[in-house]
Amino acid sequence: MADRRTALLNAAIEQIASNGTRGMRIGKVAKVAGVSPALIYHHFGNRSRLLQQALQYVGERADTYTRPVAGSARKMLLGLLASEFQDERSVRTNSAAWGELRDTAIFDAALRPTLTALTRKWVHSIAELVRRGHQDGSISPLVNPEAAGVCFSALAEGLSSRWLAGLLSTRAARAHLATGVNAMLGKSH
Amino acid sequence: MADRRTALLNAAIEQIASNGTRGMRIGKVAKVAGVSPALIYHHFGNRSRLLQQALQYVGERADTYTRPVAGSARKMLLGLLASEFQDERSVRTNSAAWGELRDTAIFDAALRPTLTALTRKWVHSIAELVRRGHQDGSISPLVNPEAAGVCFSALAEGLSSRWLAGLLSTRAARAHLATGVNAMLGKSH
């Protein structure tokens, strides 16, 4: 059961990334996952609920490939943010689906609680690393953890849109992110 | 003739902002603009060409409401960036259409030259103000103009997505932008 639900969510995310939220067809998702459309309604209730679950799942998938690297808190933070940009197809798919679902929340208020919760979680994980950086001396104590969390995640999202649209290479996206973040973090010792 | 073309582009942008690029119906655009669908093909050739012209027009519209405020180059720059976030419906519509068309470029390579040119123009206008800030002393000479252009515009885009999705108020979006930009610009005298 859990595997079938995962297969359905993966198929939904693929469809959303390739055709947009509006272009996602329940029939196509069912076909790709090898189940009947009726089963999708059985699992998710309706289309809106499927989108919410897909967004939640995009967040869970992102947790599997975004990781801080070993080192000082500043290094961990830079590594965590850089890992948003990877050449693996699954990472691009996940990022594209995130962008699509985030933009769908402009019209579909039902997506907002999940979007808000996932964005907050991201902001807090950055803020937590900034706090650790205050302790290990790798980040200036003048940097406000929550403000840094909002700014760095928003910067990553803005660069991600350009990266997905083919305006920035993976290397360039990471370089711009590091430049912006290091500038905001100030000098370390 | 020029007025009819403008009316068609305005109608297209409204449709894209409300229904997404994929949800934009040529028939609906024609109806809103009070012309026949055939006239759209006469003016724009095809759907893809209409999207490119709509993106170009979104850029032109943005020029009419994004303005630097009077003062030091730093003040002008902060004012220019803050003006991306306004409660006027036309500004939200324009930003939403920009986001939709930018994300459509993931699949539609024909949009990329226009998107690249508009993004570069934005980056350069920021870089130009950073250079002026070097001269008037309001921005640290250590700030690289082009890097700042990419970072500040990407930060504004990332915050804009959250603002449009209802995760940030206009006030909060402006405050986060100012925090990030001031941190990156360093102290002034």
Side-chain angles (χ1 to χ4, degrees), chain A residues 81-155:
Chain A
L81 292 166
S83 65
E84 294 288 333
F85 305 101
Q86 296 182 40
D87 287 324
E88 274 78 40
R89 190 176 166 277
S90 62
V91 173
R92 278 189 184 265
T93 299
N94 215 51
S95 285
W98 169 266
E100 280 289 338
L101 288 163
R102 179 196 61 214
D103 294 348
T104 303
I106 299 174
F107 323 104
D108 183 353
L111 283 170
R112 282 182 212 163
T114 308
L115 185 65
T116 302
L118 289 172
T119 303
R120 270 201 195 131
K121 201 182 143 213
W122 190 14
V123 167
H124 287 169
S125 66
I126 294 169
E128 184 51 36
L129 285 171
V130 172
R131 272 183 216 101
R132 283 209 233 168
H134 290 170
Q135 283 160 15
D136 74 12
S138 62
I139 295 173
S140 159
L142 298 173
V143 177
N144 177 302
E146 293 298 324
V150 173
C151 275
F152 297 169
S153 58
L155 176 59

Side-chain angles (χ1 to χ4, degrees), chain A residues 46-79:
Chain A
N46 56 38
R47 185 187 172 85
S48 175
R49 189 94 187 105
L50 170 59
L51 293 181
Q52 289 165 51
Q53 295 291 307
L55 178 56
Q56 182 65 42
Y57 187 58
V58 164
E60 288 163 20
R61 275 173 43 148
D63 287 341
T64 66
Y65 64 77
T66 53
R67 304 217 165 281
V69 297
S72 67
R74 177 193 281 250
K75 258 204 170 158
M76 288 175 78
L77 175 55
L78 285 164

